[in-house]
Amino acid sequence: MKQTEVLLQPNPNARIEEFVYEKLDRKAPSRMNNPELLGQYMIDAGNEFGPGTAYGNALIKCGETQKRIGAADRELIQTSAINFLTPLRNFIEGDYKTITKERKLLQNKRLDLDAAKTRLKKAKVAEARAAQLNTSQPEENNIMIWAEEVTKSEQEVRITQSEFDRQAEITRLLLEGISSTHAHHLRCLNDFVEAQMTYYAQCYQYMLDLQKQLGSFPSTFLSNNNQSSTTPVQSVSSPSVLASASASLPSVSTSMVTSGLSELKSSSGSRKARVLYDYDAANSSELSLLADEVITVYSIPGMDSDWLMGERGNQKGKVPITYLELLN
């Protein structure tokens, strides 16, 4: 039960606060969960970058998805608390305590019965011993005393046996009810699993939708982040450069770039290209670029589709096509 509470609410301070409000029979104040907080910060940041920019628009879409996941998480917590945690807690704090209490009483009754039987046994042994030594008047008095003690012990045994039997019946009936309790908790466990299944299915669907929305961004930019395993590591640009590139990409026509590259590769000739953003070469095989400069580019057979060869005077090297605008 405790670990389920930890799973649904990892923050111990929040759990303590909810416990206090529950004991006070008051409603706990509403608070945003972690996905909702992240979503709100993403949306705020996206609005600061500008909804019209690719990066700002992507942040807003991610933020909205995070808030939807947060809402699904809140629904999971509520459903699990009603269908799983509450019945389990009611049993542990109610029926289970009653059963434990009655079992303890049964153990005490058994000890009382054992003690009464022991006293009866001792009284019978003493009576028999006194009967064997019956040679004088004082011994006859002892026999009568032990006979009374035996009678008294037998009566005590009958009483304690009756109390033990009654307590045993009460405990037996309570324990027999455990089977129906197990069946009830099994249904509750199924409800908990179904709630989790629904939650993860919702999250998966939300992320699929988000992926489709992000996939609608210019493919020439996204391809630089989705290279095959054979692409050299050096071809992946730094996050800061990609972010700045993404913010300005809508001004570049994807169709123009794609068609221009097709013509360039089919003709095996060279073209002039304007550099859109600064680029620092990762190694000696690449060419560093400065924004707004014009260089000559051409394709080499077998070269990665995301790269071209660039020349500037006597300098030449590989350049990423997402940083270029082909000129007529």
Side-chain angles (χ1 to χ4, degrees):
M1 183 182 73
K2 289 180 180 179
Q3 290 306 315
T4 306
E5 292 174 342
V6 171
L7 172 68
L8 298 176
Q9 177 51 269
N11 189 338
N13 295 328
R15 291 200 304 274
I16 293 174
E17 183 180 11
E18 291 173 358
F19 176 78
V20 171
Y21 275 99
E22 182 180 352
K23 292 302 180 183
L24 295 176
D25 198 19
R26 294 175 57 185
K27 185 178 180 180
S30 177
R31 69 170 67 84
M32 297 180 71
N33 54 33
N34 290 334
E36 290 173 329
L37 281 173
L38 174 60
Q40 189 59 53
Y41 279 111
M42 281 184 164
I43 292 174
D44 294 342
N47 288 326
E48 289 184 11
F49 276 102
T53 65
Y55 186 50
N57 188 22
L59 276 174
I60 293 175
K61 291 183 182 300
C62 289
E64 291 172 347
T65 300
Q66 291 295 332
K67 295 188 79 170
R68 294 175 71 185
I69 291 176
D73 182 68
R74 191 183 299 277
E75 184 177 352
L76 169 65
I77 293 175
Q78 183 178 4
T79 303
S80 301
I82 295 174
N83 295 339
F84 180 67
L85 272 179
T86 298
L88 186 59
R89 184 182 293 108
N90 289 341
F91 172 73
I92 291 175
E93 296 180 355
D95 294 347
Y96 180 74
K97 283 187 176 181
T98 301
I99 292 172
T100 304
K101 177 182 176 182
E102 297 299 333
R103 285 186 62 185
K104 188 174 182 180
L105 286 175
L106 179 63
Q107 292 175 356
N108 292 336
K109 297 297 183 182
R110 181 184 63 80
L111 293 174
D112 293 342
L113 178 60
D114 290 344
K117 288 180 177 180
T118 301
R119 286 192 292 270
L120 175 61
K121 183 178 180 181
K122 289 181 178 180
K124 286 184 176 181
V125 170
E127 181 186 25
R129 187 178 300 168
Q132 292 176 357
L133 301 175
N134 186 12
T135 57
S136 63
Q137 186 65 31
E139 293 298 336
E140 290 182 2
N141 294 335
N142 288 337
I143 293 175
M144 293 180 62
I145 293 174
W146 285 114
E148 292 177 358
E149 186 67 26
V150 169
T151 303
K152 181 179 178 181
S153 297
E154 288 176 343
Q155 184 179 5
E156 182 183 9
V157 168
R158 286 194 296 270
I159 294 174
T160 53
Q161 182 69 57
S162 175
E163 291 178 350
F164 173 79
D165 293 341
R166 187 176 68 86
Q167 186 61 39
E169 181 65 14
I170 293 174
T171 307
R172 184 184 65 79
L173 292 174
L174 288 173
L175 291 176
E176 284 180 350
I178 290 293
S179 58
S180 61
T181 302
H182 283 175
H184 174 63
H185 287 315
L186 178 58
R187 290 192 296 270
C188 294
L189 183 61
N190 285 332
D191 291 340
F192 176 59
V193 172
E194 288 183 4
Q196 284 186 303
M197 183 181 66
T198 301
Y199 168 71
Y200 290 119
Q202 286 177 325
C203 292
Y204 178 70
Q205 186 60 50
Y206 293 156
M207 298 311 296
L208 276 182
D209 295 341
L210 176 62
Q211 188 181 43
K212 291 178 181 178
Q213 295 178 38
L214 295 181
S216 65
F217 290 156
S219 59
T220 53
F221 167 67
L222 293 178
S223 63
N224 205 37
N225 280 338
N226 294 297
Q227 300 180 45
S228 64
S229 58
T230 58
T231 304
V233 175
Q234 292 88 342
S235 65
V236 181
S237 305
S238 65
S240 59
V241 175
L242 288 177
S244 61
S246 174
S248 304
L249 266 178
S251 62
V252 182
S253 172
T254 305
S255 60
M256 289 176 58
V257 174
T258 305
S259 60
L261 288 173
S262 301
E263 293 177 6
L264 181 62
K265 292 187 177 184
S266 61
S267 64
S268 300
S270 61
R271 290 274 295 273
K272 294 292 183 181
R274 183 172 66 86
V275 177
L276 298 175
Y277 329 102
D278 292 344
Y279 176 74
D280 294 328
N283 54 47
S284 58
S285 67
E286 299 179 5
L287 180 66
S288 296
L289 303 175
L290 294 175
D292 295 327
E293 71 171 325
V294 177
I295 62 173
T296 301
V297 294
Y298 54 93
S299 176
I300 296 179
M303 175 177 275
D304 191 289
S305 60
D306 294 331
W307 296 79
L308 292 172
M309 287 299 296
E311 289 187 358
R312 183 200 302 112
N314 295 327
Q315 298 177 333
K316 68 178 182 177
K318 294 193 303 181
V319 292
I321 61 176
T322 53
Y323 284 69
L324 303 174
E325 178 185 6
L326 295 179
L327 302 178
N328 293 330

